[in-house]
Amino acid sequence: MNAVSAMKQYQEVSVHSGIMDASPHLLIQMLMEGALEKIALAKGSMTNNEIARKGENISKAIAIIGGLKSSLNMEVGGALAENLSNLYDYMANRLVVANLRNDESILDEVASLMVEIKMGWDGIPDEFKH
């Protein structure tokens, strides 16, 4: 096993164990960070004219946003959950448009929205994180 392969395997185990030990609140934070990372990678791929890689990263970002949407508890969350669901739909649709039009500004728009949501999520007091 070469050093690069060993490092990649170590990182995968580290991420897996981090997920296993994470609270639901932390898992949502990790998903949001993952979406932001995939959007940034898509933007870099767009800039470098790496069409396949751009599409892969946008698809992964859309999948992560879908995961965030599916984690919403519509019964308990009420209007807030409904608004977030609609926003997640909007973001996913905008990412499709960004991919089709090769438009970095749309990636920036979606990333900005995700940052806003994440800032709110990060600001939740500890007593409500369970």
Side-chain angles (χ1 to χ4, degrees):
M1 179 183 296
N2 67 32
V4 172
S5 177
M7 181 58 90
K8 185 174 181 178
Q9 192 172 25
Y10 172 78
Q11 288 172 331
E12 288 173 8
V13 168
S14 177
V15 167
H16 180 70
S17 64
I19 290 171
M20 296 294 290
D21 296 336
S23 69
H25 185 270
L26 182 56
L27 288 173
I28 297 299
Q29 284 178 313
M30 292 169 75
L31 286 171
M32 290 176 182
E33 289 167 7
L36 288 167
E37 176 187 0
K38 296 305 176 191
I39 292 167
L41 290 170
K43 187 173 178 180
S45 297
M46 200 177 277
T47 300
N48 295 327
N49 203 29
E50 299 169 335
I51 304 304
R53 186 165 292 154
K54 172 198 71 167
E56 289 169 13
N57 284 306
I58 287 176
S59 292
K60 288 177 182 177
I62 291 169
I64 292 169
I65 290 169
L68 288 166
K69 181 179 176 178
S70 70
S71 73
L72 296 171
N73 185 332
M74 303 306 278
E75 292 176 18
V76 174
L80 177 60
E82 184 67 31
N83 289 339
L84 274 173
S85 177
N86 291 336
L87 185 56
Y88 288 145
D89 284 340
Y90 173 79
M91 292 165 70
N93 289 332
R94 292 298 286 162
L95 288 173
V96 170
V97 172
N99 192 27
L100 292 172
R101 294 184 185 165
N102 217 38
D103 190 334
E104 290 182 28
S105 68
I106 297 174
L107 295 179
D108 291 338
E109 172 195 0
V110 174
S112 176
L113 291 169
M114 184 60 71
V115 166
E116 290 262 344
I117 296 167
K118 187 174 180 320
M119 286 173 50
W121 188 256
D122 292 346
I124 293 174
D126 287 341
E127 62 265 21
F128 296 108
K129 297 177 185 175
H130 45 77

